[in-house]
Amino acid sequence: LTRLATHGAWADGRLLAAARQAGGDTTAVLRELAHVRAAQDIWLARIAGRTPTLPVWPTLTLDELATHGTVLDAALLDALAGLTPDALGREVVYANSSGTTFRTPVADVLLHLLT
């Protein structure tokens, strides 16, 4: 899991670098990258039982994406470091943006986060 998280951080960094080099209109790229980072924040918040810091579709600059990415990558690695076999089976109870309640095992949440 840690190798997957490290790879994800590397890949996100490459996408940011490509967006920086592309110049021109990167609005669509930034929108999608911001949503991916927001989803990571939301899932990590659900695991930790806290309120997310980002909305589902934030508007972020390249610099803001880089800053949030660094924080989220570290938070994911911290979450993985503290895992036990029992913790992987624990259910996370949450409501989606439509208000529907779900129960999802931590292992499934991590799979979503890492892919």
Side-chain angles (χ1 to χ4, degrees):
L1 293 175
T2 300
R3 286 182 65 207
L4 283 171
T6 302
H7 173 76
W10 170 83
D12 289 340
R14 297 283 299 175
L15 288 171
L16 277 175
R20 285 186 195 282
Q21 292 175 347
D25 186 5
T26 57
T27 305
V29 173
L30 292 179
R31 182 177 188 272
E32 296 303 317
L33 287 173
H35 176 64
V36 167
R37 286 306 198 173
Q40 292 169 342
D41 178 50
I42 290 165
W43 284 111
L44 285 168
R46 288 173 177 167
I47 290 172
R50 64 169 174 77
T51 302
T53 58
L54 294 170
V56 176
W57 287 98
T59 301
L60 301 172
T61 66
L62 282 169
D63 289 339
E64 290 169 331
L65 275 166
T67 299
H68 283 288
T70 298
V71 170
L72 290 166
D73 292 340
L76 178 55
L77 289 173
D78 284 347
L80 293 175
L83 282 179
T84 64
D86 288 340
L88 288 171
R90 179 179 62 86
E91 288 189 330
V92 176
V93 180
Y94 62 93
N96 67 8
S97 57
S98 301
T100 305
T101 301
F102 293 92
R103 301 176 74 85
T104 304
V106 168
D108 291 351
V109 171
L110 291 173
L111 180 63
H112 183 72
L113 261 169
L114 295 169
T115 58

